């Protein structure tokens, strides 16, 4: 049996090589894309191996799992990212881990995060999730809703909106994913013009194990990769 530590280190190295290749092909600097290791598939001990392999940005999709791992002393060096749906009644507890919240999918949730952060005298970084594929099962704002929300983003003093996040359609083709990611970038460029000063929407969180190279080609600044990092662990 191969050593899990080695398997994960090799997987991380391969993903980083592919990230650098995709960035170079797009004429972008390698360090313009941040790898977020989505650790939702594994326990805290295995998550620690990701940290050991140099992946400090860790993502969870369930708030409860994020709370539990954020409380692990061995994972104290991680920077946390919540990438899955957040219910308003879990906001307060979630803010204790100070994650970047990628999955803000309604004005009500953004307001709740802002209010709780204000009460805690904290500032929390968030991304607005966009439903680019139009699939009804997916969370996220429509482009129309964001055009309405964007000019008001300066009102949220304690929730700093860094950018947009999306997931590609489920059909799995690279062409569809590329079209979804290009649509997110185009929407960002459009919204940039109506955002208040100080809100730049510079970050684009898009791309997962199956489609991160095409996401980087389309301008991703954060990719959320899970299963590729744990391949071969059995
Ligand atoms: C699970 C998950 C990922 C990672 O997906 P992989 O295909 O395993 O890389 C990325 N983003 C979100 C929102 C997820 O839930």
């Amino acid at each position: 049996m191969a050593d899990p530590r080695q398997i994960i280190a090799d997987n991380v190295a391969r993903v980083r090589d592919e990230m650098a290749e995709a960035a170079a092909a797009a004429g972008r600097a390698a360090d313009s894309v941040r790898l977020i290791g989505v650790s939702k598939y594994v326990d805290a001990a295995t998550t620690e191996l990701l940290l050991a392999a140099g992946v400090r940005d860790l993502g969870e999709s369930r708030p409860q799992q994020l709370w539990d791992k954020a409380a692990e002393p061995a994972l104290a060096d991680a920077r946390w990212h919540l990438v899955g749906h957040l219910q308003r009644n879990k906001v307060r507890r979630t803010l204790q881990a100070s994650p970047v919240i990628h999955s803000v999918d309604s004005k009500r949730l953004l307001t709740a995060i802002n209010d709780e952060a204000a009460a805690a005298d904290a500032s929390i970084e968030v991304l607005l999730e966009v439903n680019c594929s139009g699939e009804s099962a997916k969370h996220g704002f429509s482009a129309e809703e964001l055009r309405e929300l964007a000019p008001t983003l300066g009102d949220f003093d304690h929730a700093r909106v860094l950018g947009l996040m999306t997931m590609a359609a489920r059909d799995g083709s690279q062409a569809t994913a590329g079209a979804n990611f290009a649509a997110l970038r185009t929407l960002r460029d459009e919204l940039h013009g109506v955002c208040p000063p100080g809100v730049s929407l510079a970050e684009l969180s898009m791309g997962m194990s199956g489609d991160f190279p095409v996401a980087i080609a389309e301008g991703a600044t954060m990719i959320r990769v899970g299963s590729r990092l744990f391949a071969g662990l059995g």
Side-chain angles (χ1 to χ4, degrees):
M1 261 313 278
D3 172 23
R5 180 176 295 265
Q6 192 61 50
I7 291 174
I8 288 180
D10 290 347
N11 289 343
V12 168
R14 242 176 258 128
V15 166
R16 288 215 187 271
D17 281 348
E18 290 174 37
M19 289 172 67
E21 237 171 78
R28 304 181 54 198
D31 66 2
S32 65
V33 188
R34 192 168 2 159
L35 173 63
I36 296 166
V38 178
S39 53
K40 67 186 181 187
Y41 305 108
V42 299
D43 61 12
T46 306
T47 302
E48 206 184 325
L49 301 180
L50 265 190
L51 267 184
V55 182
R56 275 195 68 197
D57 287 282
L58 299 180
E60 287 289 333
S61 63
R62 296 173 156 224
Q64 175 83 50
Q65 256 184 307
L66 184 132
W67 305 343
D68 292 348
K69 284 190 183 167
E72 290 278 345
L75 300 178
D77 287 341
R79 291 184 293 251
W80 291 102
H81 298 255
L82 181 69
V83 301
H85 184 60
L86 177 61
Q87 292 158 296
R88 280 178 299 145
N89 63 2
K90 295 185 176 167
V91 167
R92 185 175 304 170
R93 182 75 181 75
T94 297
L95 294 194
Q96 291 174 19
S98 298
V100 179
I101 301 176
H102 291 232
S103 45
V104 175
D105 55 7
S106 70
K107 186 170 183 175
R108 288 205 316 171
L109 178 59
L110 180 61
T111 302
I113 291 169
N114 188 65
D115 291 350
E116 290 290 355
D121 201 18
S123 173
I124 192 97
E125 297 182 327
V126 308
L127 301 166
L128 304 177
E129 181 171 358
V130 183
N131 184 347
C132 276
S133 65
E135 290 170 305
S136 58
K138 288 219 161 81
H139 293 286
F141 289 97
S142 66
E144 208 41 61
E145 289 169 327
L146 281 186
R147 286 185 190 106
E148 200 170 303
L149 181 64
T152 72
L153 290 177
D155 300 346
F156 301 91
D157 290 344
H158 293 264
R160 291 183 44 222
V161 182
L162 303 183
L164 306 179
M165 176 273 217
T166 201
M167 291 173 63
R170 275 179 185 278
D171 90 354
S173 93
Q174 298 296 307
T176 306
N180 291 155
F181 299 150
L184 191 74
R185 189 193 62 229
T186 303
L187 177 63
R188 187 276 306 279
D189 293 347
E190 178 198 328
L191 295 174
H192 185 68
V194 294
C195 280
V199 180
S200 71
L201 305 181
E203 303 284 348
L204 293 176
S205 167
M206 56 190 194
M208 319 197 319
S209 288
D211 54 23
F212 71 82
V214 63
I216 292 170
E218 297 295 349
T221 62
M222 297 181 181
I223 61 172
R224 311 178 308 269
V225 177
S227 38
R228 274 286 304 272
L229 302 178
F230 305 109
L233 278 187

